[in-house]
Amino acid sequence: MNNWRTYKDQLQRIPWANYGRCVVRYAVVCLLVVAIWRTYEEPILAAFNKIILPVLAIFKANVWNKTLTYSLSAILLYVLLYRNIKHRYLYNPHLVLVLGWSAVILGYYRWSGTYNYESLSGRLTLVDVLIFFAVLVVIVAIVNYIRAIVVEMRTRHKENLQEGVLYDNPICTLDEDALDWSDEVGKLLGVVNQLQKSQPISIAINAHWGAGKTSFLKILQSSIDKDRYEVVYFNPRESKTASEIQEDFFQQIIAALSKYNGNAEYNLKKYMQALQVIDDKNWITKVLNIYAILNKESYREKIKRICDKLPVKVIIIIDDFDRLMPDEINEVLKLISTNACFANFIFLTAFDKNIVNDILSKMGQSEDAYFTNKYFDLEYCLPIRSYDYIWKYFADHLCEATHLRTDDAQKLKQAIEENKDLFRTNLTTMRDAKRMINQLMLDYQLLDMEVDVRDFLYVQLIKYKYPEEYRALANKEYVVEGGFGMYCLTENTLKSEDIKCLSILKQLFTEKEEDYHTDPYRRIYSSDSFNIYFYNKLYNELEVKEMRRIFDVDYEEIRSMIVEWQDGGHAEDISNYLQAIYVNQFDTAEQLKHYVAACCHLVQVSKGGFGQTALTRALYKPVLEENREKLNLDIEQYKEFVMSIISNKDNDPYYKMMSDMNYLFVHGVHDEDGCIIKRADIWPLVKARNLELLNGDEITEISAYDCITHSTDHRDTNKKIVLDKECCATYRRYLDRHPDLYVGSFVGTTRESSLSDWNYVSVNTYYQPIFESDENLITFMETCKQKGVVNAQRAINFMQLYIANEHQPVEFKEQGDVQKKIDSDFVVEIEQLNKLRALYDQMKAYKKRIDNNQIKKRETILKKVADWKLQLSKIPLYIKFREKILAELTMIEQPRA
C-alpha cells in the first residue's frame, strides 16, 4: 500500500455519506421552517404586532445606546473576524441555522418596507446591525467548516502513517493486512456460519503479545456479513472500574438489540437491576429493585426469548482481555459464561492464554480452578506467521518512512537482506518492526546524509532492543581506539558471553584495525564521527547536506563557499567529504566538473593544505576512461575546464597550485603518466607567471621550489633536481630587492618531532642553483646583515655548520631545545665549530711533522692522539666535520709500515 496518497486519493476516501446525511437533515429542517413561515405568516405577524412590536416601539436611539451598540459591534467584529477565524472556531450547527433564518426573515421584512425601525445613524438601524452580524456569523461558520473539511482531507486515511510515523494501531481491512490473515479469517467465519442459530458459543482466539490479535479481530469484523450478523465490539479496558464493566457491556447490547425488538431495552435494564450491575446509591431505587432481583430468572428468560427470535446472530468481539486486572478478568468471564450467555450470542475473545492463566493463578487460588479452558467452547490459535511477512514489511516501510535517497536505500536494503537472521532474532513481531521503524525515522531526521545509514541501522537496533548496552556502547565500554583513529572491539568484549548485542557489534566494528577496508568517512568506527551516532547532532562540523550544495550552484559560488568554509575553520571537513566521493558515483559530467572545481578551489584557498588527494583522483586518467561512457565525458574538454580553473590568476595569483603539481610530478609523488594534466601543460604557465612576478616590485610568495623545471629521473634514487636557469637568475635579482622573506625563513627544522630536544635543522635546499656557490650565498647574507635583515646572522652561522656537515641537515638530539638553538642564531654551536677547526688545524700540523719524521716515538704520538680525543669528547657538535677529525686521528695513531 502506498502510504503517501495524493490529494485526490484523500478526497475520495472521506466518508462523504456522513456529510450527505447532515445536509439532508438540515434541508428538511429548512423546508419545515419555510412551510411554517409561509403557512402561518398572518397569525405569526398578528401575534408579533400585538405582543412584540409595542415593546420594540418604546426603544429610542440616544447617545448611550448608540455607544453601546458600536462598542459591542467592534468587539464582535474582533471576535468573529480575528479570533474565531484564526482558531478555526466551529459553531454549533443549530445556532448557525437559527441565525441564518433569523437574518433571512428579518431582512425580508426590513427591506420589504413592512415596518419602520428606529434609526441609529442615517438609514442604519439596530435591525440592520443584527442582520449584519447574523450573516457574518453564518459566513464565518461556513468558512471554518470548509477549512475543517480541507484539514480532514489532508489527514484522513493515512494507513497509520502520520508525518512518517507508523502508529501501532490495529489495521481494519484486508487491504491493509501485511500478515496475510485472509485465509484464517475465512476459516473462522466458516466455523461461525456453521453454528446452530439458537446455540450460544464462546470462542477463544489465542496468540502471544504483538502477534496481531487486535488487527485480526478488526479484519474479522470488517469481513462479517452485516445482513446475517450484528457485531458488538467491546473493550473492557474502556470501563472506568471493574464494577462498571458489565454495565457498559449491557449498554452496548441494548443499543444492538433495540433495533430488532422494542422490549429489549426495558427487559435488559430490568435484568441489569437484577444483576445489580447498575450502581444506584438512591435507597428508594434500591428498595424498588428488590422485585427485579427476586425475578432475575424471569427477566433472563424474557431476554433469551428475545434473542432466540432475532433475525441475526450477535457476534460480540472482546479485545485486550489479557491486559486486564484479575478482578476485571473475572467480570468478563462472568459475562461469557453466565450473565450474557444468550441464544444467538457468539463471543470472540482474543488474548494470550499463558498471560491470563498466570494472572489468575496469582489470585491465591489453584490454577486449575481458574483455568480459562472451561470458559470457552472453542479455542482457536492464530498460526505463527513466517518471519518473511515481518521482514518484508520492515524492509519495505523502513526506506519509505525515512525518505532515503536511492543509494542509501539500496545500502539499507542490502544490510537487511544480508543479516536477515539478525533481525529475526531482535525484531520478532510486527509491533517490534513498527516501533523500530519509528525510532530510526525520528532519530534519522537530523542526520540525513550525515552518517552511514547501515551503521545507523545497527546502532538503532541496539538502542531499541538493548538500551542499557546502547548506553555502554555510547560510553565506549566495548571499543578501543587503534591506529589512524579507528575503533575496534576490545578483547573482553569479544570473549564476553553476557553482551546480548555482540552479534550487532560485530557488524559495526572489527577485531583488528587492519580489517577495515572501506572508506571511514562518517562511519561509526571512525573516532571523528563516533559520537554523532549517539548525539544525533553535529557539533562544529559542516553538514553533508550543506557541502552537497557545491553540486547545485555555479562555479563562482563554489569558490565563495570554499572560502567561507576555509575562513570558518572547516577546510578539513570539506576535504574529508571530497575524499569520500569517487568518480564512479557521478551520473553526469556536470557533477564531475562541480566536484573538480571544488577540489581545485580548496587546494588554492588552503594553499595546498587540503584537497590534493581528492583532486589527484579526479584527474586520474584510467578512472576517467573507465567512466567516460557513463558520464558522456569528453576528456579533452574536461582537461581544458580544469586548466581554466587552475590557471586563473584571480583564483591563484601566484600559480601555487600548478607549482605544487609540478613539484609533486618532479619528485614522483604523483604519477604524471596517469594524470590527464602533464608537466608540459603547466610548467610554461608557471614559468611565465614566475618571471612576471619576480620582475615586479611587489613582494611575492614565489620560492625556489617554484623554479623547478624537472628532474633527471624521478625513479632514480640519485636523481638530480633541475631548476630553470632563467627563473633562478631572475629570482636572484628579486632577492637583492626583497631579501627579507627569503633570509627570514632560510633556516628551519626539516621535520616535526614531539620531542623538543630532537630534530633536524637545514637550509633552503635549492639555494645553490640560485647563488651558484656557498661563497656567493654567504656574501649575500653578509650584505643582508649590514642592511639589518632579520635572521641574516643566523643564516651565516648555520651555513658554516651546514657546510661542515657536508651540505646535509644537522641533527640535534638530547642537546637542549632545538628551537632555542635556532632562536639564539647557533652562537654556541659556532664556538664549538671553531674549537673543532682549531683542533683540526693542530692535528694537521702535527701530522705534517710526523710525515717529515720530526716526531718518531710512538708513545709521544699516541699520547697526543689521546689528548685530542679527550678534547673532542668535550665538544658536543655531532657533524660530518667531527667524523672527519676522528678519521684523521685514527690514521695518525695507526703504526707506519
Side-chain angles (χ1 to χ4, degrees):
M1 295 290 292
N2 181 9
N3 292 321
W4 300 98
R5 302 187 185 281
T6 62
Y7 184 84
K8 182 179 179 181
D9 292 333
Q10 297 172 22
L11 187 64
Q12 292 173 345
R13 288 176 173 267
I14 287 185
W16 291 107
N18 295 337
Y19 298 108
R21 286 192 292 270
C22 182
V23 170
V24 170
R25 185 164 58 249
Y26 282 101
V28 171
V29 173
C30 291
L31 288 174
L32 180 62
V33 170
V34 173
I36 294 173
W37 175 25
R38 302 309 295 176
T39 302
Y40 300 99
E41 182 179 11
E42 290 186 5
I44 292 174
L45 288 178
F48 177 82
N49 293 333
K50 183 178 180 179
I51 300 172
I52 307 298
L53 193 59
V55 177
L56 295 177
I58 301 173
F59 175 81
K60 297 297 180 182
N62 57 55
V63 65
W64 299 110
N65 53 40
K66 287 182 180 180
T67 302
L68 178 62
T69 301
Y70 295 146
S71 299
L72 291 176
S73 298
I75 294 173
L76 281 173
L77 282 174
Y78 169 78
V79 171
L80 292 173
L81 296 181
Y82 177 73
R83 194 181 67 181
N84 290 1
I85 288 286
K86 177 182 179 182
H87 297 293
R88 297 189 180 95
Y89 183 83
L90 296 179
Y91 292 85
N92 187 309
H94 303 311
L95 174 64
V96 175
L97 185 67
V98 170
L99 290 176
W101 275 110
S102 298
V104 171
I105 294 172
L106 283 174
Y108 174 79
Y109 292 111
R110 167 70 177 89
W111 285 289
S112 65
T114 305
Y115 295 96
N116 294 320
Y117 298 97
E118 184 73 16
S119 173
L120 284 176
S121 176
R123 301 181 64 183
L124 178 67
T125 68
L126 180 60
V127 173
D128 296 334
V129 175
L130 295 177
I131 294 172
F132 171 77
F133 281 105
V135 172
L136 186 59
V137 169
V138 173
I139 293 174
V140 171
I142 293 173
V143 169
N144 286 351
Y145 184 68
I146 293 173
R147 292 166 74 192
I149 293 177
V150 171
V151 171
E152 188 174 5
M153 284 193 296
R154 292 174 179 172
T155 58
R156 206 179 235 316
H157 294 297
K158 293 282 188 175
E159 296 184 342
N160 296 331
L161 189 61
Q162 178 67 26
E163 295 297 331
V165 176
L166 292 172
Y167 292 108
D168 191 19
N169 295 331
I171 58 177
C172 297
T173 65
L174 285 173
D175 292 338
E176 304 170 287
D177 181 20
L179 293 177
D180 193 17
W181 290 124
S182 57
D183 292 341
E184 299 302 322
V185 168
K187 185 194 303 181
L188 188 57
L189 286 177
V191 172
V192 172
N193 292 334
Q194 293 173 8
L195 296 176
Q196 297 179 7
K197 184 177 180 182
S198 60
Q199 180 183 3
I201 189 170
S202 59
I203 301 175
I205 300 175
N206 182 27
H208 62 86
W209 273 9
K213 297 186 295 295
T214 301
S215 294
F216 180 82
L217 290 177
K218 292 286 186 179
I219 295 173
L220 183 69
Q221 180 183 5
S222 67
S223 303
I224 292 174
D225 186 353
K226 301 304 186 295
D227 294 330
R228 297 180 59 188
Y229 299 96
E230 179 70 26
V231 180
V232 176
Y233 198 97
F234 178 63
N235 191 329
R237 292 183 68 202
E238 296 177 357
S239 298
K240 293 180 180 179
T241 62
S243 61
E244 295 179 339
I245 287 178
Q246 294 203 43
E247 179 182 355
D248 294 340
F249 172 80
F250 280 114
Q251 290 294 347
Q252 289 188 240
I253 296 298
I254 288 173
L257 299 188
S258 295
K259 294 186 290 185
Y260 305 100
N261 194 307
N263 294 322
E265 181 176 2
Y266 174 79
N267 287 290
L268 277 168
K269 286 187 175 180
K270 287 296 182 181
Y271 183 57
M272 292 167 65
Q273 293 173 358
L275 294 175
Q276 302 182 57
V277 299
I278 300 178
D279 185 16
D280 195 334
K281 297 181 180 180
N282 191 315
W283 66 272
I284 297 177
T285 306
K286 289 185 177 180
V287 171
L288 295 176
N289 286 344
I290 293 176
Y291 176 80
I293 296 172
L294 295 175
N295 292 274
K296 178 175 69 173
E297 291 302 321
S298 173
Y299 290 115
R300 182 180 177 84
E301 289 301 321
K302 291 180 181 179
I303 297 171
K304 283 185 176 180
R305 288 195 294 272
I306 291 173
C307 294
D308 189 51
K309 294 178 182 179
L310 290 174
V312 295
K313 294 179 182 178
V314 180
I315 294 180
I316 302 167
I317 298 175
I318 299 178
D319 196 10
D320 286 345
F321 185 57
D322 49 8
R323 298 187 180 184
L324 301 177
M325 294 293 101
D327 54 342
E328 295 173 328
I329 292 176
N330 275 331
E331 291 297 317
V332 176
L333 291 177
K334 287 179 185 178
L335 289 172
I336 294 173
S337 61
T338 307
N339 292 350
C341 188
F342 302 126
N344 289 327
F345 273 31
I346 302 172
F347 287 91
L348 297 177
T349 308
F351 59 96
D352 187 326
K353 180 178 178 180
N354 293 330
I355 290 178
V356 173
N357 287 336
D358 184 59
I359 293 173
L360 294 176
S361 67
K362 293 178 180 179
M363 295 180 63
Q365 302 184 28
S366 71
E367 183 178 345
D368 292 337
Y370 286 91
F371 203 71
T372 54
N373 285 355
K374 70 178 185 177
Y375 294 100
F376 298 96
D377 303 305
L378 173 66
E379 181 174 332
Y380 172 77
C381 294
L382 283 182
I384 298 175
R385 278 289 176 251
S386 167
Y387 189 73
D388 288 343
Y389 288 104
I390 299 173
W391 177 78
K392 185 177 185 302
Y393 181 91
F394 181 71
D396 291 344
H397 285 72
L398 183 59
C399 297
E400 187 175 1
T402 48
H403 308 292
L404 293 175
R405 294 174 293 117
T406 302
D407 53 345
D408 280 344
Q410 291 175 348
K411 290 180 184 178
L412 204 61
K413 287 182 177 180
Q414 182 180 358
I416 297 173
E417 290 174 1
E418 292 176 351
N419 296 279
K420 187 174 180 180
D421 291 339
L422 185 67
F423 292 99
R424 183 198 304 274
T425 305
N426 294 281
L427 302 177
T428 57
T429 67
M430 188 67 75
R431 177 172 297 148
D432 286 330
K434 287 183 178 181
R435 293 184 177 182
M436 175 64 187
I437 290 172
N438 289 338
Q439 175 184 286
L440 189 142
M441 182 271 297
L442 293 172
D443 283 354
Y444 191 70
Q445 287 180 354
L446 299 177
L447 293 179
D448 183 22
M449 299 187 293
E450 308 303 331
V451 293
D452 182 85
V453 69
R454 295 163 300 188
D455 288 355
F456 196 74
L457 170 65
Y458 294 130
V459 172
Q460 289 292 308
L461 184 58
I462 297 175
K463 180 180 180 180
Y464 174 73
K465 197 68 177 179
Y466 313 106
E468 292 297 328
E469 295 182 358
Y470 169 80
R471 284 188 282 273
L473 176 60
N475 293 329
K476 304 174 185 176
E477 295 178 16
Y478 302 140
V479 296
V480 62
E481 186 173 354
F484 303 102
M486 303 292 188
Y487 284 120
C488 304
L489 294 177
T490 65
E491 293 185 9
N492 291 336
T493 299
L494 292 167
K495 295 177 182 178
S496 175
E497 298 180 356
D498 299 326
I499 301 177
K500 299 175 184 177
C501 67
L502 183 58
S503 58
I504 308 176
L505 290 175
K506 289 181 178 179
Q507 295 293 330
L508 295 169
F509 306 94
T510 69
E511 181 180 356
K512 300 176 182 178
E513 183 272 329
E514 55 265 25
D515 293 336
Y516 289 121
H517 298 296
T518 57
D519 187 356
Y521 182 70
R522 294 282 171 87
R523 298 295 299 273
I524 189 173
Y525 57 75
S526 172
S527 60
D528 292 334
S529 51
F530 179 89
N531 290 331
I532 301 175
Y533 287 81
F534 303 95
Y535 296 164
N536 289 353
K537 184 177 178 63
L538 271 72
Y539 291 95
N540 301 320
E541 292 182 71
L542 282 177
E543 294 183 349
V544 171
K545 62 187 68 174
E546 171 68 12
M547 293 185 284
R548 279 178 60 86
R549 289 180 53 227
I550 62 174
F551 296 104
D552 302 323
V553 298
D554 58 34
Y555 299 113
E556 285 299 321
E557 183 65 20
I558 291 176
R559 178 171 176 80
S560 299
M561 292 166 65
I562 296 294
V563 171
E564 180 182 347
W565 292 334
Q566 164 74 18
D567 294 342
H570 295 297
E572 187 173 4
D573 291 342
I574 183 63
S575 177
N576 292 338
Y577 172 69
L578 293 174
Q579 289 187 52
I581 302 176
Y582 294 87
V583 173
N584 58 10
Q585 294 177 253
F586 298 122
D587 297 319
T588 64
E590 191 62 27
Q591 291 176 338
L592 176 59
K593 288 182 178 179
H594 278 70
Y595 173 79
V596 76
C599 293
C600 290
H601 291 314
L602 180 59
V603 175
Q604 291 169 342
V605 170
S606 67
K607 298 182 179 179
F610 297 100
Q612 283 283 8
T613 302
L615 176 60
T616 302
R617 195 163 52 205
L619 301 179
Y620 192 53
K621 189 173 183 179
V623 174
L624 295 174
E625 289 286 358
E626 184 179 340
N627 293 274
R628 180 171 56 83
E629 186 174 344
K630 172 189 173 184
L631 301 178
N632 192 23
L633 178 68
D634 186 319
I635 294 181
E636 284 302 317
Q637 289 183 359
Y638 175 65
K639 175 182 176 181
E640 292 176 5
F641 171 77
V642 177
M643 288 297 298
S644 69
I645 296 176
I646 65 177
S647 62
N648 189 327
K649 294 179 183 179
D650 295 333
N651 295 338
D652 189 0
Y654 302 105
Y655 280 1
K656 289 296 294 181
M657 184 174 176
M658 287 194 292
S659 294
D660 290 344
M661 289 178 66
N662 179 70
Y663 179 87
L664 295 173
F665 283 149
V666 169
H667 286 78
V669 178
H670 286 175
D671 180 15
E672 182 181 358
D673 295 334
C675 186
I676 60 172
I677 295 177
K678 310 296 183 181
R679 280 191 299 128
D681 298 318
I682 58 179
W683 171 244
L685 298 175
V686 172
K687 178 179 178 179
R689 184 57 175 161
N690 286 351
L691 294 175
E692 179 183 352
L693 292 170
L694 291 172
N695 284 318
D697 293 329
E698 296 182 2
I699 298 177
T700 177
E701 295 181 4
I702 292 177
S703 69
Y705 297 95
D706 302 313
C707 298
I708 297 174
T709 176
H710 66 280
S711 64
T712 52
D713 189 348
H714 64 74
R715 291 161 295 196
D716 184 1
T717 56
N718 296 317
K719 65 187 176 183
K720 181 180 180 182
I721 302 300
V722 180
L723 273 65
D724 184 80
K725 292 183 178 180
E726 186 178 2
C727 283
C728 288
T730 307
Y731 190 61
R732 174 67 183 86
R733 292 191 295 272
Y734 169 81
L735 291 181
D736 285 337
R737 301 192 306 274
H738 305 288
D740 302 75
L741 183 61
Y742 183 78
V743 175
S745 61
F746 183 75
V747 178
T749 56
T750 60
R751 70 172 187 176
E752 291 186 4
S753 171
S754 59
L755 301 176
S756 61
D757 64 345
W758 181 29
N759 217 322
Y760 287 81
V761 181
S762 188
V763 298
N764 190 311
T765 308
Y766 302 111
Y767 74 88
Q768 291 178 329
I770 297 173
F771 292 94
E772 297 182 349
S773 68
D774 295 341
E775 291 75 14
N776 290 340
L777 173 64
I778 293 174
T779 301
F780 169 76
M781 293 298 179
E782 291 287 357
T783 304
C784 291
K785 177 182 176 181
Q786 294 173 6
K787 293 179 180 180
V789 176
V790 176
N791 295 339
Q793 184 63 56
R794 177 183 303 175
I796 295 170
N797 289 350
F798 186 76
M799 271 303 297
Q800 298 181 57
L801 298 174
Y802 186 71
I803 295 170
N805 200 40
E806 298 180 1
H807 297 88
Q808 294 182 17
V810 179
E811 180 184 14
F812 294 101
K813 187 175 183 180
E814 298 178 356
Q815 300 176 55
D817 192 307
V818 178
Q819 187 58 47
K820 288 182 179 180
K821 293 179 180 294
I822 298 175
D823 295 338
S824 65
D825 295 338
F826 304 99
V827 174
V828 174
E829 286 69 27
I830 289 297
E831 292 177 357
Q832 294 171 347
L833 178 60
N834 290 332
K835 290 179 180 180
L836 289 177
R837 288 171 174 168
L839 184 61
Y840 182 76
D841 291 340
Q842 293 177 26
M843 180 190 65
K844 291 294 289 183
Y846 192 76
K847 184 174 182 296
K848 185 175 180 181
R849 291 175 61 192
I850 294 173
D851 292 339
N852 294 332
N853 289 321
Q854 295 177 0
I855 303 174
K856 297 180 179 180
K857 292 184 178 181
R858 289 295 303 162
E859 295 82 359
T860 304
I861 295 174
L862 293 176
K863 182 178 179 181
K864 192 63 175 178
V865 170
D867 181 57
W868 281 330
K869 285 185 176 181
L870 179 61
Q871 293 181 45
L872 188 61
S873 65
K874 296 179 181 180
I875 306 174
L877 183 61
Y878 303 99
I879 57 177
K880 296 291 183 181
F881 186 49
R882 179 193 182 91
E883 295 176 7
K884 182 178 180 180
I885 294 174
L886 283 173
E888 291 287 345
L889 288 174
T890 301
M891 291 180 62
I892 292 174
E893 66 181 355
Q894 292 293 329
R896 289 177 173 271

